[in-house]
Coordinates of all heavy atoms in Angstrom, one line a residue:
T9 N -154.4 -88.7 -61.3 CA -155.8 -88.2 -61.5 C -156.5 -88.2 -60.1 O -156.1 -88.9 -59.1 CB -156.6 -89.1 -62.4 OG1 -156.7 -90.4 -61.8 CG2 -155.8 -89.2 -63.8
P10 N -157.7 -87.5 -60.1 CA -158.5 -87.7 -59.0 C -159.0 -89.2 -58.9 O -159.0 -89.8 -59.9 CB -159.8 -86.8 -59.3 CG -159.3 -85.8 -60.3 CD -158.2 -86.5 -61.1
F11 N -159.4 -89.7 -57.8 CA -159.7 -91.0 -57.5 C -161.0 -91.4 -58.4 O -161.2 -92.5 -58.8 CB -160.0 -91.3 -56.0 CG -160.0 -92.8 -55.8 CD1 -158.9 -93.6 -55.8 CD2 -161.2 -93.4 -55.5 CE1 -158.9 -95.0 -55.6 CE2 -161.2 -94.8 -55.2 CZ -160.1 -95.5 -55.2
D12 N -161.8 -90.5 -58.6 CA -163.1 -90.8 -59.3 C -163.0 -90.7 -60.8 O -163.9 -90.7 -61.7 CB -164.3 -90.0 -58.8 CG -164.1 -88.5 -59.1 OD1 -163.0 -88.0 -59.4 OD2 -165.1 -87.6 -59.0
F13 N -161.7 -90.4 -61.4 CA -161.4 -90.3 -62.7 C -161.8 -91.5 -63.6 O -161.5 -92.5 -63.1 CB -159.9 -90.0 -62.8 CG -159.4 -89.8 -64.2 CD1 -159.4 -88.5 -64.7 CD2 -158.8 -90.8 -64.9 CE1 -158.9 -88.3 -66.0 CE2 -158.3 -90.6 -66.1 CZ -158.4 -89.3 -66.7
D14 N -162.3 -91.2 -64.7 CA -162.6 -92.4 -65.7 C -161.7 -92.3 -66.9 O -161.9 -91.2 -67.7 CB -164.1 -92.1 -66.1 CG -164.4 -93.4 -67.0 OD1 -164.0 -93.4 -68.2 OD2 -165.4 -94.1 -66.6
W15 N -160.8 -93.2 -67.0 CA -159.8 -93.1 -68.2 C -160.4 -93.1 -69.5 O -160.1 -92.2 -70.4 CB -158.9 -94.2 -68.0 CG -157.8 -94.2 -68.9 CD1 -157.6 -94.8 -70.1 CD2 -156.5 -93.5 -68.8 NE1 -156.4 -94.4 -70.8 CE2 -155.7 -93.7 -69.9 CE3 -156.0 -92.6 -67.8 CZ2 -154.5 -93.0 -70.0 CZ3 -154.8 -92.1 -67.9 CH2 -154.0 -92.3 -69.0
D16 N -161.3 -93.9 -69.9 CA -161.9 -94.0 -71.2 C -162.7 -92.6 -71.5 O -162.7 -92.2 -72.5 CB -162.9 -95.1 -71.2 CG -162.1 -96.5 -71.2 OD1 -160.9 -96.5 -71.7 OD2 -162.7 -97.4 -70.7
E17 N -163.4 -92.2 -70.4 CA -164.1 -90.9 -70.6 C -163.2 -89.7 -70.9 O -163.4 -88.9 -71.8 CB -165.0 -90.6 -69.4 CG -165.8 -89.4 -69.5 CD -166.5 -89.2 -68.2 OE1 -167.4 -90.0 -67.9 OE2 -166.3 -88.2 -67.5
A18 N -162.0 -89.7 -70.3 CA -161.1 -88.6 -70.4 C -160.4 -88.7 -71.7 O -160.3 -87.7 -72.5 CB -160.1 -88.7 -69.3
F19 N -160.2 -89.9 -72.3 CA -159.5 -90.0 -73.6 C -160.6 -89.6 -74.7 O -160.1 -89.1 -75.6 CB -158.8 -91.3 -73.8 CG -157.3 -91.3 -73.5 CD1 -156.8 -91.6 -72.3 CD2 -156.5 -91.0 -74.5 CE1 -155.5 -91.6 -72.1 CE2 -155.1 -90.9 -74.3 CZ -154.6 -91.3 -73.0
A20 N -161.7 -90.0 -74.4 CA -162.8 -89.6 -75.4 C -162.9 -88.1 -75.5 O -163.0 -87.6 -76.5 CB -164.1 -90.3 -75.1
R21 N -162.9 -87.4 -74.4 CA -162.9 -86.1 -74.3 C -161.8 -85.4 -74.9 O -161.8 -84.4 -75.7 CB -163.1 -85.6 -72.8 CG -163.0 -84.1 -72.5 CD -164.3 -83.4 -73.0 NE -164.1 -82.0 -72.6 CZ -164.3 -81.0 -73.6 NH1 -164.5 -81.3 -74.8 NH2 -164.1 -79.7 -73.2
L22 N -160.6 -85.9 -74.6 CA -159.3 -85.4 -75.2 C -159.4 -85.4 -76.7 O -158.9 -84.4 -77.4 CB -158.2 -86.2 -74.7 CG -156.8 -85.7 -75.1 CD1 -156.5 -84.3 -74.7 CD2 -155.7 -86.8 -74.6
A23 N -159.9 -86.4 -77.3 CA -159.9 -86.6 -78.8 C -160.8 -85.6 -79.4 O -160.6 -85.2 -80.6 CB -160.4 -88.0 -79.1
T24 N -161.7 -84.9 -78.7 CA -162.6 -83.9 -79.2 C -162.1 -82.4 -79.1 O -162.6 -81.5 -79.7 CB -164.0 -83.9 -78.5 OG1 -163.9 -83.5 -77.2 CG2 -164.5 -85.3 -78.6
L25 N -161.0 -82.3 -78.4 CA -160.5 -81.0 -78.0 C -159.7 -80.3 -79.4 O -159.1 -81.1 -80.0 CB -159.6 -80.9 -76.9 CG -160.3 -81.3 -75.5 CD1 -159.3 -81.3 -74.4 CD2 -161.4 -80.3 -75.3
P26 N -159.9 -79.0 -79.5 CA -159.2 -78.3 -80.5 C -157.6 -78.7 -80.7 O -157.0 -78.7 -79.6 CB -159.3 -76.9 -80.3 CG -160.5 -76.7 -79.4 CD -160.5 -78.1 -78.6
R27 N -157.2 -79.0 -81.8 CA -155.8 -79.2 -82.2 C -155.3 -80.6 -81.7 O -154.1 -80.9 -82.0 CB -154.9 -78.1 -81.6 CG -155.2 -76.7 -82.2 CD -154.3 -75.7 -82.0 NE -152.8 -76.1 -82.4 CZ -151.8 -75.9 -81.9 NH1 -151.7 -75.2 -80.6 NH2 -150.6 -76.2 -82.4
Q28 N -156.1 -81.4 -81.0 CA -155.5 -82.6 -80.5 C -155.3 -83.6 -81.7 O -154.3 -84.3 -81.8 CB -156.5 -83.3 -79.6 CG -156.1 -84.6 -78.9 CD -154.8 -84.4 -78.0 OE1 -154.6 -83.4 -77.5 NE2 -154.0 -85.5 -78.0
E29 N -156.2 -83.7 -82.7 CA -156.1 -84.5 -83.8 C -154.8 -84.1 -84.5 O -154.1 -85.0 -85.1 CB -157.3 -84.5 -84.7 CG -157.1 -85.5 -85.9 CD -158.4 -85.5 -86.7 OE1 -159.4 -84.9 -86.3 OE2 -158.3 -86.2 -87.8
E30 N -154.6 -82.7 -84.7 CA -153.4 -82.2 -85.5 C -152.2 -82.7 -84.7 O -151.2 -83.1 -85.3 CB -153.6 -80.7 -85.4 CG -152.4 -80.1 -86.0 CD -152.4 -78.5 -85.9 OE1 -153.6 -78.0 -85.6 OE2 -151.4 -77.8 -85.9
W31 N -152.2 -82.5 -83.4 CA -151.0 -82.9 -82.6 C -150.7 -84.4 -82.8 O -149.7 -84.8 -82.9 CB -151.3 -82.6 -81.1 CG -150.2 -83.1 -80.1 CD1 -150.3 -84.2 -79.3 CD2 -148.9 -82.5 -79.9 NE1 -149.1 -84.3 -78.6 CE2 -148.3 -83.3 -78.9 CE3 -148.2 -81.5 -80.6 CZ2 -147.0 -83.0 -78.5 CZ3 -146.9 -81.4 -80.1 CH2 -146.4 -81.9 -79.1
E32 N -151.8 -85.3 -82.7 CA -151.5 -86.8 -82.8 C -151.0 -87.1 -84.2 O -150.1 -87.9 -84.2 CB -152.9 -87.5 -82.6 CG -153.5 -87.4 -81.2 CD -152.6 -88.1 -80.1 OE1 -151.7 -88.8 -80.4 OE2 -152.7 -87.7 -78.9
T33 N -151.5 -86.4 -85.2 CA -151.1 -86.7 -86.5 C -149.5 -86.3 -86.7 O -148.8 -87.1 -87.2 CB -152.0 -86.0 -87.6 OG1 -153.3 -86.4 -87.5 CG2 -151.4 -86.2 -89.0
Y34 N -149.3 -85.2 -86.2 CA -147.9 -84.7 -86.2 C -146.9 -85.6 -85.5 O -145.9 -86.1 -86.0 CB -147.7 -83.3 -85.8 CG -146.2 -82.9 -85.7 CD1 -145.6 -82.6 -86.9 CD2 -145.6 -82.8 -84.5 CE1 -144.1 -82.3 -87.0 CE2 -144.2 -82.5 -84.6 CZ -143.5 -82.2 -85.7 OH -142.2 -81.9 -85.7
M35 N -147.3 -86.0 -84.2 CA -146.5 -86.8 -83.4 C -146.3 -88.2 -83.9 O -145.2 -88.9 -83.6 CB -146.9 -86.8 -81.9 CG -146.9 -85.4 -81.2 SD -145.2 -84.5 -81.5 CE -144.4 -85.2 -80.1
S36 N -147.2 -88.7 -84.7 CA -147.1 -90.0 -85.2 C -145.9 -90.2 -86.1 O -145.5 -91.3 -86.4 CB -148.4 -90.4 -86.0 OG -148.6 -89.6 -87.1
I37 N -145.3 -89.2 -86.6 CA -144.2 -89.2 -87.5 C -143.0 -90.0 -86.6 O -142.2 -90.6 -87.2 CB -143.7 -87.8 -87.8 CG1 -144.7 -87.2 -88.8 CG2 -142.3 -87.7 -88.5 CD1 -144.5 -85.7 -88.9
F38 N -143.0 -89.6 -85.3 CA -141.9 -90.2 -84.4 C -142.3 -91.5 -83.7 O -141.4 -92.1 -83.3 CB -141.7 -89.1 -83.3 CG -141.5 -87.8 -83.8 CD1 -142.6 -86.8 -83.8 CD2 -140.3 -87.3 -84.3 CE1 -142.4 -85.5 -84.3 CE2 -140.2 -86.0 -84.8 CZ -141.1 -85.1 -84.8
Q39 N -143.5 -91.8 -83.6 CA -143.9 -93.0 -82.8 C -144.1 -94.3 -83.7 O -144.5 -94.3 -84.8 CB -145.3 -92.6 -82.1 CG -145.2 -91.4 -81.4 CD -146.5 -90.8 -81.0 OE1 -147.5 -91.1 -81.7 NE2 -146.5 -90.0 -79.8
V40 N -143.9 -95.4 -83.0 CA -144.1 -96.7 -83.5 C -145.6 -96.9 -83.2 O -146.0 -97.4 -82.2 CB -143.3 -97.8 -82.9 CG1 -143.7 -99.1 -83.5 CG2 -141.8 -97.5 -83.1
A41 N -146.5 -96.6 -84.2 CA -147.9 -96.8 -84.1 C -148.5 -96.8 -85.6 O -147.9 -96.2 -86.4 CB -148.5 -95.7 -83.3
R42 N -149.7 -97.4 -85.7 CA -150.3 -97.4 -87.0 C -150.8 -96.1 -87.4 O -151.1 -95.3 -86.5 CB -151.4 -98.4 -87.0 CG -152.7 -98.0 -86.2 CD -153.9 -98.9 -86.5 NE -155.0 -98.5 -85.6 CZ -155.8 -97.5 -85.8 NH1 -155.5 -96.6 -86.8 NH2 -156.8 -97.2 -85.0
P43 N -150.8 -95.6 -88.6 CA -151.3 -94.4 -89.0 C -152.7 -94.1 -88.5 O -153.6 -95.0 -88.7 CB -151.2 -94.4 -90.6 CG -150.2 -95.5 -90.8 CD -150.3 -96.5 -89.6
G44 N -153.0 -92.9 -88.1 CA -154.2 -92.5 -87.6 C -154.6 -93.0 -86.2 O -155.8 -92.8 -85.8
A45 N -153.8 -93.7 -85.6 CA -154.1 -94.1 -84.2 C -154.3 -93.0 -83.3 O -153.6 -92.0 -83.4 CB -152.9 -94.9 -83.7
T46 N -155.2 -93.1 -82.5 CA -155.5 -92.1 -81.4 C -154.5 -92.2 -80.3 O -153.8 -93.2 -80.2 CB -156.9 -92.1 -80.8 OG1 -157.0 -93.4 -80.0 CG2 -158.0 -92.2 -81.8
S47 N -154.3 -91.2 -79.4 CA -153.5 -91.3 -78.2 C -153.8 -92.5 -77.3 O -153.0 -93.2 -76.9 CB -153.6 -90.0 -77.5 OG -152.6 -90.0 -76.4
A48 N -155.1 -92.8 -77.3 CA -155.6 -94.0 -76.4 C -155.1 -95.2 -77.1 O -154.8 -96.3 -76.3 CB -157.0 -93.9 -76.2
E49 N -154.9 -95.3 -78.4 CA -154.5 -96.5 -79.0 C -153.0 -96.7 -79.1 O -152.4 -97.8 -79.1 CB -155.0 -96.5 -80.5 CG -156.6 -96.6 -80.5 CD -157.1 -96.4 -82.0 OE1 -156.5 -95.5 -82.6 OE2 -158.1 -96.9 -82.3
K50 N -152.3 -95.6 -79.0 CA -150.8 -95.5 -79.1 C -150.2 -96.0 -77.8 O -149.3 -96.6 -77.7 CB -150.3 -94.2 -79.6 CG -150.7 -93.7 -80.9 CD -150.1 -92.3 -81.1 CE -150.6 -91.6 -82.2 NZ -150.0 -90.2 -82.5
W51 N -150.6 -95.2 -76.8 CA -150.1 -95.5 -75.5 C -150.7 -96.7 -74.9 O -151.9 -96.8 -74.7 CB -150.3 -94.3 -74.5 CG -149.5 -93.0 -74.9 CD1 -149.9 -92.1 -75.8 CD2 -148.2 -92.8 -74.4 NE1 -148.8 -91.2 -75.8 CE2 -147.8 -91.6 -75.0 CE3 -147.4 -93.4 -73.4 CZ2 -146.6 -91.0 -74.7 CZ3 -146.2 -92.9 -73.2 CH2 -145.7 -91.6 -73.8
R52 N -149.8 -97.7 -74.5 CA -150.3 -99.0 -74.0 C -150.2 -98.9 -72.4 O -149.2 -98.7 -71.9 CB -149.4 -100.0 -74.5 CG -149.6 -100.1 -76.1 CD -148.9 -101.3 -76.7 NE -149.4 -102.6 -76.0 CZ -148.6 -103.6 -75.9 NH1 -147.4 -103.6 -76.3 NH2 -149.1 -104.7 -75.4

């Protein structure tokens, strides 16, 4: 990322983008994560 990048701000923005929730819901089928977890919560 650029040096002035804010991780929390970017993940908050990502969660609002079209189809992101659909993508997260679908990919959760494959991932070890709690149901409904956001990308920010899944990736440690």
Side-chain angles (χ1 to χ4, degrees):
T9 69
F11 193 73
D12 65 348
F13 180 85
D14 183 296
W15 186 263
D16 293 331
E17 183 181 295
F19 262 95
R21 171 82 178 116
L22 181 63
T24 69
L25 296 178
R27 299 191 60 221
Q28 185 64 24
E29 184 177 351
E30 175 187 343
W31 174 254
E32 293 296 342
T33 299
Y34 176 72
M35 295 311 276
S36 69
I37 295 166
F38 308 98
Q39 300 165 337
V40 177
R42 71 168 176 75
T46 65
S47 188
E49 294 167 327
K50 294 178 199 179
W51 286 92
R52 298 187 55 211

